[in-house]
Amino acid sequence: QVQLVESGGGLVQAGGSLRLSCTGSGITFRYTAMAWYRRRAPDNQRELVATIHNGGAKTYADSVKGRFTISRDSAKTLLNLEMNNLKPDDTAVYYCNRNPPVAHYWGQGTQVTVSS
């Protein structure tokens, strides 16, 4: 049974930083693209934030490019998202999953709130 658990969210002022982590059980982070997603109010649509591809290449949504950094420790089944210069628009629940996502892998997410 696969379980992904996100952590590291919190309340931060605009311009601040947070580091999110995702740990996995029953899944390997090797040989697969892993990604961070988020859901923002009010539409609550899940959007792709950052991907680390099988070969190590990294891609980002335009809205976070230059501010967020995704990294992976495959041996530890750990996925991180370093978020700097946070903006109120980054307020969301953040999730990790494969890219493309697997429906039954979604965890509870971690809430990030950025105050202005």
Side-chain angles (χ1 to χ4, degrees):
Q1 181 178 355
V2 173
Q3 187 175 20
L4 296 172
V5 179
E6 301 90 353
S7 63
L11 173 63
V12 64
Q13 288 188 330
S17 299
L18 283 174
R19 183 181 177 87
L20 305 184
S21 294
C22 167
T23 58
S25 59
I27 182 175
T28 178
F29 285 11
R30 295 180 180 180
Y31 316 122
T32 187
M34 293 296 299
W36 283 95
Y37 303 80
R38 66 186 181 187
R39 274 186 167 171
R40 294 187 290 179
D43 57 25
N44 213 32
Q45 294 297 309
R46 190 172 279 136
E47 62 178 299
L48 177 63
V49 174
T51 301
I52 183 163
H53 298 272
N54 185 19
K58 303 172 184 180
T59 54
Y60 300 91
D62 287 343
S63 58
V64 307
K65 204 171 293 184
R67 301 186 298 121
F68 289 13
T69 302
I70 188 171
S71 62
R72 170 177 63 191
D73 184 333
S74 298
K76 295 182 179 180
T77 323
L78 181 65
L79 185 73
N80 295 311
L81 186 68
E82 188 76 33
M83 306 188 296
N84 298 313
N85 191 21
L86 283 160
K87 303 176 180 180
D89 278 352
D90 296 318
T91 295
V93 181
Y94 286 74
Y95 305 84
C96 63
N97 204 323
R98 287 185 172 174
N99 186 7
V102 178
H104 62 277
Y105 284 6
W106 293 114
Q108 295 299 308
T110 186
Q111 174 72 48
V112 171
T113 303
V114 184
S115 63
S116 57

